[in-house]
Amino acid sequence: DQQVKQNSPSLSVQEGRISILNCDYTNSMFDYFLWYKKYPAEGPTFLISISSIKDKNEDGRFTVFLNKSAKHLSLHIVPSQPGDSAVYFCAASDNTGKLIFGQGTTLQVKP
Amino acid sequence: SQTIHQWPATLVQPVGSPLSLECTVEGTSNPNLYWYRQAAGRGLQLLFYSVGIGQISSEVPQNLSASRPQDRQFILSSKKLLLSDSSFYLCAWSVLARDTQYFGPGTRLTVL
């Protein structure tokens, strides 16, 4: 039972354009969402988070949007840079504090 | 600032051998600690978490166990490794149970 799903295993974007990574969840009790970035053979690095009381959170080039009615969140990276090429994981947390991760989306930003 | 360490970075072990992976956190007290596993091409699977010394919760019944002998030390163990234990193991910490989790560099375990 996959409670957090990233349906696109990979995404390729041209440098300077927008990257949009998507994530869907099924558990309506989730109230805190996070995005992590991961390079091969390294631990995930926290990027940005959003609470369920908000629908948007922005940090530099990264913006996370939350649509609670659709149980959908997305990460926008503008402008995309070659160094953004990595695997991106979305994660969700309920009041137990445990994080449930999606399967990840591999982003490739082409120069 | 807080830092999290894991060792070893890579490990190759024969089937049936024991395992001990160590994780330590610096710069914080009484952190929540977590062990995850990432199989190739898959997401992160929570294995164990701990809210304090000697307090371990298991998420997935398996061949592994965890212990927290000190406040900032978290150990992942196995008495007899299986081929299916080959994976990338990650330790993480957070201040509170509902907080952002911060990950260590990971250990690549290969069981032959």
Side-chain angles (χ1 to χ4, degrees), chain A residues 31-32 34 36 38 40-46 49 87 89 93-104, chain B residues 6 34 36 38 41-46 49 59 88 90 94 96-106 108:
Chain A
D31 59 3
Y32 185 56
L34 308 91
Y36 286 86
K38 185 181 181 302
E42 294 184 11
T45 302
F46 168 71
S49 63
V87 179
F89 290 98
S93 172
D94 59 18
N95 59 2
T96 68
K98 289 179 283 188
L99 289 184
I100 308 298
F101 283 83
Q103 311 95 306
Chain B
Q6 280 187 251
Y34 309 84
Y36 288 87
Q38 184 194 10
R42 302 182 68 179
L44 280 68
Q45 179 188 37
L46 179 64
Y49 69 95
E59 289 297 300
F88 189 55
L90 290 154
S94 67
L96 299 172
R98 296 171 62 84
D99 262 351
T100 300
Q101 293 180 20
Y102 298 94
F103 286 82
R108 169 67 62 190

Side-chain angles (χ1 to χ4, degrees), chain A residues 44-68:
Chain A
T45 302
F46 168 71
L47 269 178
I48 192 168
S49 63
I50 188 168
S51 165
S52 60
I53 62 173
K54 291 185 173 183
D55 54 20
K56 177 183 175 182
N57 188 26
E58 192 172 351
D59 183 4
R61 296 186 297 115
F62 301 93
T63 303
V64 56
F65 295 91
L66 176 62
N67 182 334
K68 289 185 289 296

Side-chain angles (χ1 to χ4, degrees), chain A residues 3-42:
Chain A
Q3 297 187 70
V4 178
K5 295 182 181 181
Q6 294 176 255
N7 292 315
S8 298
S10 62
L11 175 67
S12 183
V13 171
Q14 206 67 33
E15 180 180 7
R17 306 294 291 270
I18 184 172
S19 295
I20 300 176
L21 298 110
N22 294 303
C23 181
D24 297 295
Y25 61 96
T26 57
N27 189 341
S28 58
M29 297 302 292
F30 288 149
D31 59 3
Y32 185 56
F33 303 88
L34 308 91
W35 282 95
Y36 286 86
K37 173 182 179 180
K38 185 181 181 302
Y39 293 116
E42 294 184 11

Side-chain angles (χ1 to χ4, degrees), chain B residues 39-83:
Chain B
R42 302 182 68 179
L44 280 68
Q45 179 188 37
L46 179 64
L47 302 175
F48 302 95
Y49 69 95
S50 171
V51 299
I53 294 175
Q55 300 179 60
I56 309 294
S57 296
S58 173
E59 289 297 300
V60 182
Q62 62 221 324
N63 185 40
L64 303 170
S65 62
S67 61
R68 185 170 177 173
Q70 300 180 39
D71 180 43
R72 289 170 289 176
Q73 184 185 31
F74 205 22
I75 296 173
L76 183 68
S77 304
S78 173
K79 292 182 179 178
K80 286 186 178 182
L81 283 169
L82 307 173
L83 286 174

Side-chain angles (χ1 to χ4, degrees), chain A residues 65-84:
Chain A
F65 295 91
L66 176 62
N67 182 334
K68 289 185 289 296
S69 61
K71 295 190 178 66
H72 177 83
L73 68 154
S74 60
L75 174 69
H76 292 210
I77 306 174
V78 182
S80 301
Q81 300 173 354
D84 296 329

